[in-house]
């Protein structure tokens, strides 16, 4: 047959018998020959992930200069330099450089996701070729190779098992399965079986945790499951955040506005007979005023300060724009294992023939108590014996990190849960091992489904066994009760199996424990005494439920999306309050839905289980198509494509893989879902502050342009010089605007519904306040200028009064625009940076107007006390006008609150 083999997706290797798989791959129990290996290596290439065509750093840098606002700012830099304003030109150039470098760093780091995926590949592998066992670099593997697996080995490629001796594999990074998966060699039904259910397959990048096995390679490089994820990472494009889209649109609008302003002012000036060059320079200065030069700086500073605050709350942001996106999130798609849960198996229920107790506590910390119907109880002798036996028949050990004080398990997570349960009752594994030393054991096997250990005690020896309830019950003829050991009848067995079913219905993994006194290894597993059952689960984090409730208060829907078992996913979701009136679907059901069907149903689905990486990607895409700003949390390799596609990808800092961290925009340093809520609050606050800045600055610009255009149309002298316009735009607007970017958050921030991402910054109330403020400023200043001229004052004095009035109006606006809904009297001076900025700018204003040497360059005139009072009086009118507009807004006159 030809040596050209099908890829890993065809045929469905897990459905075929071992002999058929070997035949299909032209392989044998002796492995491939060197000739076949050489040919297949030429045909399929090395067993490594291929990166897509990488964009050069220079190309990434050049892309940053295609941004509309950056282009406008570069033009403004050139104009400022041409007009002789060197300080302004340097300031704008620094802003441009900062914004460009920031964008470059973010995009360059995004290229690292594929590299991190490569680093998860196994460096070497043990393989059988020509009947000889050899070790070679994993990149030299080819389809048909026979590989050997032992506990601790990292799997080098996707492979079909041909031999399994108690083999277990940790597939959490790929599937989200919270416990190691037991492997076998039997063919399975169902071509579309979820990866987590393909128990006769091993996958590249996962780890063998127990036992040993042999497997024939069916897919290498990009034909592995990791390879598919790499392809998805290459094809997924990260969308722009709502703020980025708004700023792009704003940049285009302002560019057009700037051109229109220049053309109109120059044309009207020429019609009035003014010199062309003078009008051109003036038109350019006014065009510069249209563009908020400080916008990139304010946005960047707002986001950077938010990032610093978020680090203190255990959230590390890799891309600044992600902060704003998180603030507008309407749906969080959360992985279960390690995110909503700790990824630490915990015994929740303890069953003995007398009663069933609940054990409190979560994770590996030996903190908790036994309770019955909510009341704390001491363990009975039977319960103590059950916990003692569970600890002794386990190989895991509980250790504490000296640096951080965190508890973790060395060994199997299930055994770890049992020794932690015992420790909660004062039975510590290390002490028990010394008191009852192990003198023999019968290891766990997937066929026997149990493990038995033999221990020395004061008056002889005792055997303890743990395993599947049905298997342990078959070995028992007696049970331990309060009066002592009694016969185990059929009714007793039915009662125990009923308890098993009840625990399983609550998604608990159930193990039974038994003992035999005066035992030897030969008879240890016969005529045993049943001690009880232990029900365990990877439980929700204690703080996760409160975090979910806060999300609900903030109008954010939390959806669980996991590769774990449907029953487990539903139980955890129900306990967290996520699973209410909606639906739960599996990956298989999801694959049966078309994209259109998924988009229709995505609003009602609350739990997704047994999903593949492609499924997660589809869910995120469907939510985005419905207009949601979707956040995706995760820690495994399987989460990486969806993390990259989501509006805000959130990786886990402790348990997360490097692949997930590189693909995500944010990393939780404590792996705590609750930290997301804090990040949401920061994100909302930052967006509100950017909105305040834009409202303030654009309203001020409307006032400036309206003043100049009104004077030109009315045939009046121009009320401001080019230098005065640049001063107002760069200095007066700059510091107060920066101060608004760090304004304290409003009290009800986390009680509001998420913003409509499509609405952007400029909602109807915002536009109304901005326009009213701009038009009132235009009317007041144009009226003041006209009145001053008609009252017999000189043009210089009228211009100075108008300049002072314009600046003061913008100072008052800064306080009014601290909220688009609350009164200026609500905590009016809470922003200390705004107070300092206004104080500094007031000092500069008085200095410029009062210091004679500055009169000529600034076109100023020393004002009398009466002139000052008039300018202050008319500028004060802006506050009641804006407060009246807010009152109308609060009462629904301008549409819904933003």
């Amino acid at each position: 047959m030809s040596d050209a083999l099908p890829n890993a997706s065809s045929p469905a290797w897990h459905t075929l018998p071992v002999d058929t798989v070997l035949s299909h791959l032209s392989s044998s129990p002796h492995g491939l020959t060197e000739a076949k290996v050489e040919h297949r290596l030429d045909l399929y290439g090395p067993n490594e992930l291929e990166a897509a065509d990488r964009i050069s750093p220079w190309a990434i840098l050049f892309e940053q200069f295609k941004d509309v606002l950056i282009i406008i700012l570069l033009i403004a830099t050139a104009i400022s330099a041409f007009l002789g304003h060197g300080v302004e030109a340097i300031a704008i150039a620094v802003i441009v450089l900062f914004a460009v470098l920031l964008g470059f760093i973010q995009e360059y780091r995004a290229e690292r996701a594929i590299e991190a995926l490569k680093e998860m590949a196994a460096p070497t592998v043990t393989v059988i070729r020509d009947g000889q066992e050899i070790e070679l670099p994993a990149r030299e593997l080819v389809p048909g190779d026979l590989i050997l697996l032992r506990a601790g080995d990292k799997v080098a490629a996707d492979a079909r098992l041909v031999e399994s001796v108690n083999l277990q594999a940790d597939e959490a990074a790929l599937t989200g399965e919270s416990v190691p998966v037991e492997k076998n060699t039997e063919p399975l039904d169902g071509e579309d079986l979820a990866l987590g259910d393909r128990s006769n397959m091993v996958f590249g990048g996962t780890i063998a945790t127990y036992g040993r096995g042999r497997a024939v390679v069916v897919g290498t490089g990009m034909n592995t499951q990791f390879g598919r994820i790499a392809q998805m990472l290459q094809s997924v494009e990260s969308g722009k955040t709502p703020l980025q889209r708004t700023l792009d649109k704003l940049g285009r609008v302002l560019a057009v506005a700037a051109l229109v302003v220049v053309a109109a002012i120059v044309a009207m000036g020429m019609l009035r007979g003014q010199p062309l060059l003078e009008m051109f320079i003036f038109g350019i200065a006014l065009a510069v005023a249209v563009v908020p030069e400080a916008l990139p700086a304010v946005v960047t500073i707002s986001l950077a300060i938010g990032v610093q605050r978020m680090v203190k709350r255990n959230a590390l942001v890799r891309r600044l724009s992600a902060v704003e996106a998180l603030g507008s999130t309407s749906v969080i798609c959360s992985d279960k294992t390690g995110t909503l849960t700790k990824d630490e198996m915990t015994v929740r229920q303890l069953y003995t023939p007398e009663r069933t107790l609940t054990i409190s506590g979560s994770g590996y910390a030996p903190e908790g108590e036994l309770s019955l119907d909510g009341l704390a109880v001491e363990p009975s002798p039977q319960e103590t014996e059950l916990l003692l036996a569970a600890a002794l028949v386990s190989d895991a050990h509980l250790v504490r990190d000296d640096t951080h004080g965190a508890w973790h398990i060395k060994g199997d997570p299930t055994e770890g849960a049992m020794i932690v349960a015992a420790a909660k009752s004062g039975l510590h594994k290390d002490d028990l091992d010394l008191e009852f030393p192990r003198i023999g054991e019968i290891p766990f096997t997937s066929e026997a489904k149990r493990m038995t250990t033999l221990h020395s005690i004061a008056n002889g020896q005792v055997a303890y066994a743990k395993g599947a309830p049905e298997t342990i019950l078959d070995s028992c003829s007696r049970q331990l009760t309060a009066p002592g050991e009694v016969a185990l009848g059929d009714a007793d067995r039915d009662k125990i199996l009923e308890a098993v079913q009840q625990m399983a219905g609550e998604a608990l993994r159930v193990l039974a424990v038994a003992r035999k006194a005066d035992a030897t290894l030969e008879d240890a597993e016969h005529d045993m005494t049943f001690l009880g059952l232990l029900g365990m689960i990877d439980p929700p984090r204690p703080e996760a439920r409160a975090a979910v409730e806060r999300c609900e208060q903030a109008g954010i829907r939390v959806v669980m999306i996991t590769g774990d078992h449907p029953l487990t996913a539903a139980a955890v979701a129900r306990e967290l309050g996520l699973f209410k009136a909606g639906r739960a679907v599996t990956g298989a059901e999801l694959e049966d839905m078309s994209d259109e069907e998924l988009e229709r149903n995505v609003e009602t689905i609350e739990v997704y289980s047994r999903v593949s990486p492609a499924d997660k990607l589809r869910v995120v895409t469907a939510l985005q198509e419905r207009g949601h700003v979707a956040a995706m949390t995760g820690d495994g390799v399987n989460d990486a494509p969806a993390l990259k596609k989501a509006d805000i990808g959130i990786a886990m800092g402790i348990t997360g893989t490097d692949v997930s961290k590189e693909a995500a925009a944010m990393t939780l340093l404590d792996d705590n879902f609750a930290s997301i809520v804090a990040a949401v609050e920061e994100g909302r606050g930052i967006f509100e502050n950017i909105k305040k800045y834009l409202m303030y600055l654009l309203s001020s610009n409307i006032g400036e342009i309206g003043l100049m255009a009104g004077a030109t149309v009315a045939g009046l002298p121009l009320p401001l010089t080019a230098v005065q316009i640049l001063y107002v735009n760069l200095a007066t607007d700059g510091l107060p605007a920066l101060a608004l970017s760090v304004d304290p958050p409003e009290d009800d921030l986390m009680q509001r519904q998420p913003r409509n991402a499509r609405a952007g910054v400029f909602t109807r109330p915002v536009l109304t306040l901005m326009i009213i403020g701009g038009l009132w400023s235009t009317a007041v200043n144009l009226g003041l200028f006209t009145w001053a001229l008609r009252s017999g004052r000189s043009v210089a004095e009228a211009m100075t009064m108008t300049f002072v009035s314009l600046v003061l109006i913008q100072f008052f606006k800064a306080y009014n625009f601290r909220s688009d809904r609350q009164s200026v009297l609500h905590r009016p001076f809470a922003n200390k940076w705004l107070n300092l900025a206004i104080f500094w700018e007031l000092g500069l204003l008085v200095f410029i107007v009062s210091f004679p040497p500055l009169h000529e360059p600034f076109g100023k005139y020393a004002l009398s006390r009466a002139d000052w009072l008039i300018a202050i009086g008319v500028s004060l009118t802006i506050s009641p006008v804006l407060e009246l507009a807010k009152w109308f807004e609060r009462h629904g006159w301008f549409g819904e609150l933003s």
Side-chain angles (χ1 to χ4, degrees), residues 56 72 129 200 207 218 228 245 266 291 304 306 332 341 359 362 541 703 753 877 882:
S56 74
I72 294 174
R129 287 182 179 171
N200 57 13
I207 300 171
V218 298
R228 293 180 183 182
R245 291 192 289 267
V266 171
V291 180
I332 298 175
T341 69
I359 305 180
S362 175
R541 291 175 177 271
Q753 293 296 303
T877 60
L882 289 175

Side-chain angles (χ1 to χ4, degrees), residues 662-676:
E662 291 293 343
M666 188 177 95
T667 300
L668 297 182
L669 300 179
D670 58 354
D671 286 13
N672 195 334
F673 182 83
S675 298
I676 298 173

Side-chain angles (χ1 to χ4, degrees), residues 747-792:
D747 301 333
D748 63 342
L749 198 60
M750 289 301 287
Q751 277 74 52
R752 304 176 191 173
Q753 293 296 303
R755 290 181 302 101
N756 183 344
R758 295 178 182 176
V761 176
F762 300 109
T763 56
R764 274 178 54 184
V766 168
L767 283 172
T768 302
L769 287 174
M770 191 171 72
I771 292 169
I772 287 175
L775 293 179
W776 187 259
S777 175
T778 295
V780 166
N781 289 313
L782 190 58
L784 176 63
F785 184 64
T786 304
W787 173 83
L789 289 174
R790 291 180 180 175
S791 67

Side-chain angles (χ1 to χ4, degrees), residues 54-57 59-65 67 99-113 238 240 244 318-319 644 662:
R54 296 198 66 174
I55 305 172
S56 74
I60 295 174
L61 185 63
F62 179 73
E63 281 294 315
Q64 309 308 311
F65 289 95
D67 184 88
V100 165
L101 285 178
L102 196 67
F104 169 77
I105 290 168
Q106 290 171 1
E107 290 193 29
Y108 183 75
R109 288 187 66 183
E111 294 290 310
R112 279 281 305 149
S238 302
K240 290 189 174 182
Q244 287 174 322
R318 293 179 58 249
R319 292 195 287 273
K644 187 177 179 183
E662 291 293 343

Side-chain angles (χ1 to χ4, degrees), residues 620-660:
V620 170
T621 303
L623 286 166
Q624 290 172 331
E625 289 295 320
R626 296 282 295 184
H628 288 288
V629 175
M632 168 73 186
T633 71
D635 58 357
V637 175
N638 59 331
D639 299 320
L643 287 173
K644 187 177 179 183
K645 173 66 176 174
D647 297 282
I648 168 74
I650 308 168
M652 301 297 111
I654 298 172
T655 59
T657 59
D658 287 343
V659 184
S660 63

Side-chain angles (χ1 to χ4, degrees), residues 126-194:
T126 303
V127 63
I128 296 175
R129 287 182 179 171
D130 288 322
Q132 300 295 314
E133 184 177 319
I134 58 173
E135 187 171 304
L136 47 76
R139 68 187 305 274
E140 296 180 13
L141 274 186
V142 296
D145 258 328
L146 200 64
I147 59 174
L148 300 183
L149 295 171
R150 299 180 181 88
D153 286 349
K154 184 173 281 188
V155 182
D158 287 5
R160 169 69 162 87
L161 285 164
V162 299
E163 179 185 348
S164 175
V165 181
N166 304 324
L167 183 66
Q168 296 182 10
D170 180 358
E171 298 177 349
L174 184 64
T175 67
E177 185 74 53
S178 54
V179 295
V181 180
E182 293 182 10
K183 296 295 182 179
N184 58 58
T185 61
E186 297 302 314
L188 302 169
D189 294 329
E191 290 191 4
D192 298 325
L193 211 58

Side-chain angles (χ1 to χ4, degrees), residues 634-847:
D635 58 357
V637 175
N638 59 331
D639 299 320
L643 287 173
K644 187 177 179 183
K645 173 66 176 174
D647 297 282
I648 168 74
I650 308 168
M652 301 297 111
I654 298 172
T655 59
T657 59
D658 287 343
V659 184
S660 63
K661 293 174 189 175
E662 291 293 343
M666 188 177 95
T667 300
L668 297 182
L669 300 179
D670 58 354
D671 286 13
N672 195 334
F673 182 83
S675 298
I676 298 173
V677 181
V680 167
E681 186 173 5
E682 292 291 349
R684 288 190 175 189
I686 287 165
F687 189 86
E688 288 296 307
N689 288 348
I690 292 171
K691 184 171 71 173
K692 295 170 191 177
Y693 159 79
L694 286 172
M695 228 183 355
Y696 165 70
L697 196 64
L698 294 180
S699 177
S700 299
N701 288 356
I702 290 171
E704 294 169 34
I705 295 165
L707 171 62
M708 305 307 294
T712 303
V713 170
L716 298 171
L718 292 173
L720 297 174
T721 66
V723 174
Q724 289 172 347
I725 291 172
L726 287 172
Y727 174 81
V728 169
N729 204 49
L730 286 172
T732 306
D733 289 351
L735 284 180
L738 289 173
L740 283 175
S741 72
V742 293
D743 202 48
E746 295 179 44
D747 301 333
D748 63 342
L749 198 60
M750 289 301 287
Q751 277 74 52
R752 304 176 191 173
Q753 293 296 303
R755 290 181 302 101
N756 183 344
R758 295 178 182 176
V761 176
F762 300 109
T763 56
R764 274 178 54 184
V766 168
L767 283 172
T768 302
L769 287 174
M770 191 171 72
I771 292 169
I772 287 175
L775 293 179
W776 187 259
S777 175
T778 295
V780 166
N781 289 313
L782 190 58
L784 176 63
F785 184 64
T786 304
W787 173 83
L789 289 174
R790 291 180 180 175
S791 67
R793 288 169 169 81
S794 66
V795 173
E797 185 176 0
M799 289 176 70
T800 303
M801 290 181 69
T802 305
F803 174 78
V804 170
S805 172
L806 176 66
V807 170
L808 291 177
I809 280 177
Q810 294 182 186
F811 290 167
F812 289 126
K813 276 184 187 177
Y815 284 99
N816 281 99
F817 284 147
R818 284 191 57 234
S819 174
D820 63 346
R821 64 187 70 208
Q822 293 181 341
S823 168
V824 71
L825 300 177
H826 179 71
R827 299 192 305 162
F829 303 111
N831 188 339
K832 65 177 181 179
W833 298 110
L834 181 60
N835 301 335
L836 290 172
I838 297 298
F839 182 78
W840 168 258
E841 293 292 349
L842 276 173
L844 280 181
L845 177 65
V846 173
F847 181 67

